[in-house]
Amino acid sequence: MIGKIHKQMSHDSWLFSKMATPEYTPFVFLLLLFQSSVWGFPSCHATKPGMLNVHLVPHTHDDVGWLKTVDQYFYGDRNDIQHAGVQYILDSVVDQLLKNPDRRFIYVETAFFYRWWKQQTDDMQNTVKQLVNEGRLEFVNGGWCMSDEATTHYSAVIDQMTMGLRFLNDTFGHCGRPRVAWHIDPFGHAREHASMFAQMGYDGFFFGRLDYQDRNRRMVAREQEMLWRASESLTPPMADLFTGILPNGYNPPEGFCWDQSCDDPPIRDDPDLEDYNVDDVVTRFLHIAHGQALVYKTNHIIMTMGSDFQYENANLWYKNLDKLIRYVNQMQSNGSEVNVLYSTPSCYLQELHRANLTWPLKGDDFFPYADSAHDFWTGYFTSRPALKRYERISNSYLQTCKQLEVLGGPISRKGPFGAGDSETLSKCLVYTLSSHSSAMAVAQHHDAVSGTEKQHVANDYARKLANGWAHCQVLVSNTLSSLSGSSAPRVYCEHLNISVCPLTETSKKFSVNVYNPLARPVSWPVRLPVNGTAYRISDAKGKAVDSQVELLLVRTTYSLSTLLSLSLSISLYPSLSLSISLYPSLSLSISLYPSLSLSISLYPSLSLSISLYPSLSLTPSYSLYPSIIISPSQSFSPQPSSLLSLCASIVTLRDFLSSLFCVCLSRYNASDGNNSESIQMSGAYIFRPNTSTPFIISKTNSVVQEVRQWFSPWVSQVVRLYTDSRALELEWTVGPVPIGDDLGKEVISRLDSSINSSGVFYTDSNGREMLQRRKDYRPTWNLRQSEPIAGNYYPINSRAYIKDDKDQLTVVTDRSQGGGSIQDGSLEIMLHRRLLYDDVRGVGEPLNEMSDIYPEGLVVRGRHLLSLSPPATAADTHRPLAQEVVLQPLITFTDGELHPSTRLEFSGLQAVLPPAVHLLTVSQWDQDTVLLRLEHQYQASESKEHSQPVTVNLQKLFSTLDVLGVSEMNLSANQWKDEMTRLDWKAESGTHHTGVTNQLSAYSAL
Ligand SMILES: [Zn+2]
């Protein structure tokens, strides 16, 4: 039996049911046996109570890809781009730690450490284990990488953390479990990340970057260390996380960088020599330490002694640090009250905890991040939109792949189509670098999905994802073959987004197999390029399926061509009728073949003059879709009248149709740095338009049903409303962005509505809880706004909305993007950006994506789903909608007639999960055990119906999974839930700043 869970529950029976409270409480169930000892802080050096204790933390920051690929960084290849070789860093650090037991080092990125570990001898591995056991080498953070916080989705972040932490657990046991989360480089910090870290059992969190105005205020108020209350749904302290801001980003104090890459003077301590400088060094150090102590609360301060890829020759650092500690502490005999010590983040954290103080409470997040008045890091929310989409769809593939690995059992990994893998089975295979999981894990890095890497590195991430998906395809084919009883080859059409699928375009008869990774029914539109004019389609039970063939306009870079496109909408229900094995979801097959008897209705009068982009005025031939009426928008739009004639408003004639909105695609011209206020240019990280007024790209044309809008030769949009959908689909296509005028461009989609939003809008945090945003406002300090557009942009990972008493307009995105509400009633989302200058934040390249396929510049296509509902019920629509976009059905094809014995449907679910419960993870953990994550996907109070506790009966969830026992884990599955003990922290009273709702009093006080 597959997915047997081996740890017998203690008594009663193995029936396991659990109350889930609203929002997360992601029950993670597992089954590993851990040693149960509790790691304290035994290895920290003693501190001196009456003195200022300076904790020196030797560290290196090793990007899992940025200017070089992850492989180049590991081996130290291409040092002409950047001198960096991680393997040498670890070699050198271990060697230096052994030379002096006082020395400490922390290591962060498990993707690198794992590679290094594999190459070590048994002796060396034992030596390193001893260093870890003695606390001389400490892992912090410990995920596969240090994920980006603005552009990642929680599902992928949890996976990559689980992967890194599992390696540390399996290799080092409890002493290898990081106690501290460490995001020293990401460009702004998400509340959901803090919530996840708390639920993963971390005691504290440190980071380096925050808005310069915020930092200045916090320094004066001594509020650089705080308690982050990171969820409004979870009962404190479940999502409380102690959070500290590091003093110098993550660099050493000025004048104290002793890496081979630095130029600061070494400590010259031979008094016989002329250039003896110990007194000078000690004086400067004491000055800095006293200064730093003024802006922190306790008599403990931390100094990060290291930076990017440092410690390749660790002797330089340690030799000087040894001396620094010795000479500074010698001054104590002369009355100095400064005590310096080797330390780690967890030792420092322990001292803060011992101080037994109360800490200011933080309720919102740390976006957007600006490092000075005209330098808002809000461009990367959208940078590399194609990579961002590829990362998101890859996560959907990965979750499906993991589910089908559980479903298929051993045959999924070795079956008729060869050897496949997701990432789980044996401990070795888990971390195979070619696997899809590790490609996904690496892609979460803060210079990967963020879009802030060099072009060749972006290409490498995409190549790794493609390679991982190829491994998964074999697994998926094996499982589907086993479950259906048909070994017919499966075809994966990966270019359906550009209407390319050779099989459906040429085959006379083919089958479509749709796998729904969600544990509830969905209705999913399928659009296929075909060559026939009409098709007879039947579902698994032989019932006819409605469809429509229409003429599709396909624009290549230079011309328009036409293609037929078949649309149908399928309903996917969990099926109880077949007894095929396990697990949620369902797959159904539909046969499609051309029919001679039916004639196709095409839209009338589609002429070839379309290549000139004239006005299209098409009337519907027949209506699969409900009507959409287009009317001019003058009557309600809050926009300046000059824009009005260019927008169309759409009235949707469905149950949600009460309000009006209009959609415009516009662009900002990017700043080239030639500006009287600042020379800052727009680049991969930074968004800075050269004016605050967007340019309307061109006139819209509109038709009913499927409205095609051509704004210009390089910007178009299709508006669709499917019969059974609760949302309007906007499919945008942008590119190649022209740069003939020597200006970079940042293209936005702007939705204007009559909603009275009063300067307030809402964005999600990593795809989960919603945060309230207010124009030109920050909840925890008085903002001096200096960039009216870029300073009001926030990350949108899955959705954003505006609302008033009557209506809520929600946009669900298919990837992470940046956006804001610059005018009341308006929501704008940046789609694509093409820039001509580097923004001087390190990447050293303009964000100007071109390739052999797109020599004129990258063309990107994506979807926005719009829903309009009364605010009270809006979440009931956008929560399931966003999950459908994140975990979308996998469509595969088989050519020709199916064998009559082929099984066409199966479901591993006995029944669908309650609407509030999302099936987040099902993956094989080891041979007999399965990791299951269930999530309450509604935020507290957002839905009358669904924001309620809900009970799930695990016994009755799976139709064939034989559950022998269940154990609950923390979120990252590296600790038993009942052994999870975290440090408790006390909040100052009256300092709670929340990100959502209840803001009115704070706001009116401004
Ligand atoms: Zn970095």
Side-chain angles (χ1 to χ4, degrees):
M1 217 55 237
I2 300 167
K4 189 166 57 178
I5 298 180
H6 73 234
K7 199 179 170 209
Q8 195 80 37
M9 287 291 283
S10 49
H11 55 92
D12 298 307
S13 69
W14 43 268
L15 165 76
F16 185 85
S17 69
K18 181 82 186 176
M19 289 287 282
T21 47
E23 232 338 92
Y24 234 34
T25 326
F27 294 114
V28 183
F29 301 103
L30 222 238
L31 28 350
L32 254 202
L33 295 171
F34 296 108
Q35 302 159 345
S36 59
S37 66
V38 178
W39 159 260
F41 301 90
S43 56
C44 299
H45 289 302
T47 57
K48 298 197 173 174
M51 294 195 178
L52 175 63
N53 292 280
V54 184
H55 295 248
L56 301 181
V57 176
H59 81 108
T60 180
H61 176 67
D62 297 347
D63 290 303
V64 185
W66 178 39
L67 309 182
K68 308 203 288 191
T69 67
V70 56
D71 308 285
Q72 290 166 347
Y73 274 131
F74 180 74
Y75 281 111
D77 196 10
R78 294 300 310 273
N79 276 354
D80 56 315
I81 299 175
Q82 179 187 13
H83 189 104
V86 174
Q87 58 169 343
Y88 307 124
I89 294 173
L90 287 162
D91 287 343
S92 183
V93 162
V94 169
D95 184 51
Q96 289 298 317
L97 287 177
L98 293 171
K99 292 204 159 110
N100 176 352
D102 289 343
R103 293 174 177 174
R104 296 289 181 267
F105 197 72
I106 58 170
Y107 203 72
V108 178
E109 296 84 7
T110 304
F112 283 129
F113 186 84
Y114 164 74
R115 284 163 175 240
W116 180 83
W117 179 258
K118 275 195 310 179
Q119 298 186 336
Q120 305 308 307
T121 62
D122 287 352
D123 275 357
M124 178 53 94
Q125 291 188 350
N126 288 331
T127 302
V128 172
K129 279 181 186 169
Q130 187 170 347
L131 289 175
V132 173
N133 288 340
E134 292 171 5
R136 293 154 68 184
L137 175 62
E138 176 178 310
F139 293 102
V140 298
N141 217 58
W144 205 245
C145 68
M146 184 185 296
S147 57
D148 181 61
E149 298 195 40
T151 63
T152 45
H153 190 267
Y154 70 97
S155 144
V157 172
I158 292 169
D159 275 2
Q160 77 89 6
M161 291 301 298
T162 301
M163 195 162 155
L165 293 171
R166 183 178 184 185
F167 170 78
L168 297 178
N169 238 354
D170 290 354
T171 310
F172 300 103
H174 270 256
C175 294
R177 183 171 69 79
R179 307 296 298 260
V180 167
W182 184 258
H183 271 212
I184 55 180
D185 196 25
F187 330 121
H189 301 280
R191 196 176 73 179
E192 194 59 36
H193 260 73
S195 174
M196 289 189 284
F197 287 144
Q199 295 172 71
M200 289 173 182
Y202 289 98
D203 283 316
F205 175 46
F206 293 95
F207 66 73
R209 298 182 187 270
L210 78 164
D211 183 280
Y212 69 106
Q213 293 181 42
D214 192 10
R215 177 190 284 276
N216 289 341
R217 187 199 68 83
R218 287 180 181 279
M219 285 171 72
V220 172
R222 292 189 174 197
E223 289 192 1
Q224 294 197 87
E225 290 163 332
M226 71 206 84
L227 188 58
W228 199 346
R229 185 146 292 167
S231 167
E232 288 167 36
S233 302
L234 295 176
T235 312
M238 278 181 74
D240 285 1
L241 187 68
F242 181 89
T243 300
I245 298 162
L246 296 168
N248 301 297
Y250 52 90
N251 296 306
E254 201 179 337
F256 292 85
C257 184
W258 287 309
D259 193 67
Q260 65 182 11
S261 63
C262 299
D263 303 322
D264 293 338
I267 298 182
R268 301 182 297 256
D269 54 349
D270 183 343
D272 296 339
L273 297 184
E274 243 176 53
D275 52 5
Y276 175 85
N277 68 350
V278 171
D279 297 341
D280 171 60
V281 168
V282 168
T283 305
R284 281 190 291 119
F285 185 83
L286 291 175
H287 180 72
I288 287 171
H290 286 303
Q292 189 177 324
L294 293 176
V295 293
Y296 286 90
K297 251 182 154 176
T298 72
N299 64 327
H300 294 266
I301 57 174
I302 186 171
M303 291 184 183
T304 44
M305 307 308 278
S307 193
D308 291 1
F309 297 97
Q310 294 197 357
Y311 286 77
E312 188 174 314
N313 183 353
N315 182 44
L316 275 67
W317 259 116
Y318 282 114
K319 194 165 202 166
N320 285 286
L321 288 174
D322 286 349
K323 291 180 184 176
L324 180 74
I325 292 169
R326 185 163 74 243
Y327 292 124
V328 171
N329 288 348
Q330 271 177 10
M331 300 295 286
Q332 290 168 14
S333 57
N334 297 338
S336 162
E337 296 199 330
V338 174
N339 181 47
V340 195
L341 59 147
Y342 277 117
S343 187
T344 67
S346 69
C347 290
Y348 173 63
L349 187 72
Q350 178 193 234
E351 296 294 349
L352 297 182
H353 187 253
R354 278 186 185 150
N356 198 22
L357 301 175
T358 58
W359 304 91
L361 204 52
K362 165 84 172 172
D364 61 324
D365 66 358
F366 290 95
F367 286 118
Y369 163 55
D371 55 17
S372 70
H374 300 286
D375 309 46
F376 279 85
W377 298 47
T378 52
Y380 80 99
F381 300 161
T382 298
S383 294
R384 301 194 187 279
L387 181 66
K388 282 181 163 68
R389 173 61 188 159
Y390 194 45
E391 183 276 332
R392 187 65 57 87
I393 189 75
S394 293
N395 183 49
S396 182
Y397 290 158
L398 175 62
Q399 302 308 326
T400 296
C401 185
K402 287 176 171 183
Q403 292 183 3
L404 286 171
E405 186 177 18
V406 174
L407 264 178
I411 202 168
S412 68
R413 293 177 292 278
K414 199 163 173 23
F417 297 98
D421 68 76
S422 67
E423 101 286 13
T424 32
L425 236 208
S426 82
K427 283 173 189 167
C428 285
L429 288 178
V430 168
Y431 305 107
T432 302
L433 289 170
S434 61
S435 82
H436 196 55
S437 258
S438 77
M440 270 301 293
V442 165
Q444 306 311 309
H445 167 61
H446 58 269
D447 291 305
V449 65
S450 59
T452 54
E453 66 282 64
K454 281 189 184 288
Q455 185 64 47
H456 79 104
V457 180
N459 295 345
D460 184 62
Y461 288 127
R463 188 186 57 73
K464 282 186 161 60
L465 290 172
N467 180 51
W469 175 227
H471 284 245
C472 269
Q473 282 183 358
V474 176
L475 187 155
V476 168
S477 293
N478 286 340
T479 296
L480 293 182
S481 156
S482 160
L483 295 173
S484 68
S486 161
S487 57
R490 290 201 181 261
V491 175
Y492 298 78
C493 283
E494 293 170 73
H495 301 115
L496 285 175
N497 65 326
I498 53 168
S499 301
V500 172
C501 179
L503 187 144
T504 62
E505 288 173 64
T506 56
S507 175
K508 294 249 183 301
K509 178 167 184 175
F510 57 93
S511 296
V512 181
N513 186 281
V514 186
Y515 179 82
N516 170 22
L518 295 171
R520 60 182 175 79
V522 298
S523 179
W524 188 257
V526 175
R527 298 168 57 81
L528 306 172
V530 290
N531 63 357
T533 51
Y535 286 78
R536 197 168 69 226
I537 302 170
S538 57
D539 68 13
K541 296 188 172 66
K543 222 174 105 220
V545 175
D546 280 344
S547 69
Q548 173 179 345
V549 175
E550 66 194 284
L551 194 60
L552 184 69
L553 308 176
V554 179
R555 200 175 68 77
T556 64
T557 306
Y558 302 104
S559 65
L560 277 174
S561 60
T562 58
L563 195 70
L564 293 171
S565 166
L566 173 70
S567 298
L568 58 140
S569 186
I570 49 168
S571 294
L572 305 168
Y573 298 103
S575 162
L576 303 178
S577 59
L578 290 173
S579 57
I580 292 196
S581 337
L582 333 187
Y583 173 60
S585 4
L586 137 169
S587 191
L588 75 87
S589 292
I590 304 164
S591 299
L592 303 104
Y593 43 95
S595 150
L596 298 177
S597 59
L598 291 173
S599 62
I600 176 66
S601 300
L602 293 175
Y603 294 117
S605 70
L606 259 185
S607 70
L608 291 178
S609 64
I610 280 167
S611 57
L612 303 170
Y613 312 108
S615 296
L616 287 181
S617 182
L618 305 183
T619 52
S621 51
Y622 59 94
S623 49
L624 177 67
Y625 308 116
S627 303
I628 301 172
I629 296 171
I630 307 299
S631 63
S633 59
Q634 282 87 340
S635 53
F636 63 85
S637 172
Q639 297 305 306
S641 61
S642 63
L643 303 183
L644 290 181
S645 60
L646 302 176
C647 297
S649 76
I650 299 164
V651 185
T652 53
L653 296 182
R654 290 176 50 79
D655 47 354
F656 55 73
L657 327 181
S658 57
S659 189
L660 304 166
F661 54 90
C662 109
V663 183
C664 291
L665 291 175
S666 315
R667 68 175 154 82
Y668 294 107
N669 285 336
S671 171
D672 56 6
N674 190 5
N675 182 299
S676 58
E677 286 178 316
S678 157
I679 57 163
Q680 180 62 50
M681 296 162 282
S682 238
Y685 301 90
I686 286 175
F687 168 38
R688 186 164 184 247
N690 67 0
T691 67
S692 294
T693 311
F695 296 84
I696 297 299
I697 288 167
S698 186
K699 234 177 141 76
T700 70
N701 302 300
S702 22
V703 287
V704 289
Q705 286 194 350
E706 184 167 286
V707 185
R708 288 170 184 272
Q709 300 171 297
W710 294 85
F711 295 86
S712 85
W714 54 280
V715 178
S716 64
Q717 181 160 266
V718 184
V719 183
R720 297 190 185 99
L721 186 61
Y722 293 96
T723 334
D724 44 4
S725 171
R726 287 174 291 180
L728 194 70
E729 175 184 306
L730 306 182
E731 184 185 77
W732 48 268
T733 304
V734 177
V737 179
I739 47 174
D741 55 0
D742 289 332
L743 284 172
K745 290 173 192 67
E746 331 211 32
V747 181
I748 59 167
S749 174
R750 203 186 66 213
L751 311 167
D752 295 331
S753 77
S754 53
I755 291 172
N756 181 18
S757 59
S758 311
V760 174
F761 68 113
Y762 299 79
T763 60
D764 66 312
S765 184
N766 299 127
R768 286 196 38 80
E769 290 190 15
M770 301 301 298
L771 283 165
Q772 190 193 64
R773 313 297 191 182
R774 195 178 282 275
K775 192 183 169 200
D776 298 331
Y777 174 78
R778 306 286 186 264
T780 55
W781 82 91
N782 291 322
L783 173 73
R784 288 187 311 280
Q785 184 61 279
S786 40
E787 284 284 329
I789 308 294
N792 281 307
Y793 260 50
Y794 290 87
I796 298 169
N797 302 113
S798 68
R799 81 209 74 178
Y801 61 77
I802 49 174
K803 65 176 183 179
D804 57 19
D805 294 343
K806 217 161 86 272
D807 293 306
Q808 176 168 328
L809 173 62
T810 310
V811 185
V812 170
T813 65
D814 64 352
R815 74 199 71 192
S816 291
Q817 296 173 314
S821 175
I822 309 301
Q823 315 267 357
D824 281 357
S826 170
L827 252 187
E828 70 178 55
I829 297 179
M830 188 180 291
L831 307 176
H832 193 8
R833 40 204 322 255
R834 184 178 191 186
L835 304 167
L836 304 178
Y837 301 97
D838 176 47
D839 54 4
V840 209
R841 290 303 183 282
V843 72
E845 277 182 5
L847 183 67
N848 183 2
E849 295 175 280
M850 290 179 289
S851 71
D852 292 344
I853 300 171
Y854 293 113
E856 304 290 312
L858 182 65
V859 180
V860 185
R861 172 171 294 163
R863 294 191 307 151
H864 286 160
L865 299 177
L866 271 54
S867 73
L868 195 57
S869 328
T873 58
D876 301 341
T877 299
H878 71 70
R879 286 287 168 195
L881 199 60
Q883 296 294 14
E884 285 169 32
V885 174
V886 170
L887 285 184
Q888 65 181 51
L890 176 67
I891 301 175
T892 63
F893 303 89
T894 48
D895 197 9
E897 196 84 43
L898 285 174
H899 192 277
S901 68
T902 305
R903 200 175 279 129
L904 297 179
E905 289 183 282
F906 77 85
S907 174
L909 272 189
Q910 287 197 43
V912 301
L913 283 175
V917 180
H918 175 56
L919 181 66
L920 180 59
T921 305
V922 176
S923 75
Q924 197 74 36
W925 186 263
D926 60 28
Q927 203 172 341
D928 297 322
T929 49
V930 170
L931 177 65
L932 169 68
R933 285 193 184 96
L934 296 178
E935 166 196 357
H936 195 304
Q937 63 172 338
Y938 284 82
Q939 205 160 329
S941 331
E942 74 178 357
S943 165
K944 201 172 169 203
E945 189 183 350
H946 296 309
S947 292
Q948 306 296 330
V950 59
T951 301
V952 177
N953 185 329
L954 291 182
Q955 182 198 4
K956 294 198 174 142
L957 180 57
F958 302 103
S959 58
T960 53
L961 196 73
D962 188 12
V963 181
L964 299 182
V966 176
S967 295
E968 197 176 348
M969 316 284 294
N970 68 357
L971 181 59
S972 46
N974 63 333
Q975 249 189 320
W976 300 118
K977 188 71 178 285
D978 56 12
E979 290 179 3
M980 188 174 149
T981 50
R982 302 171 59 222
L983 298 179
D984 57 317
W985 302 87
K986 286 197 284 291
E988 282 172 6
S989 53
T991 60
H992 189 195
H993 299 283
T994 172
V996 183
T997 63
N998 308 327
Q999 278 292 321
L1000 290 172
S1001 52
Y1003 187 65
S1004 57
L1006 283 178

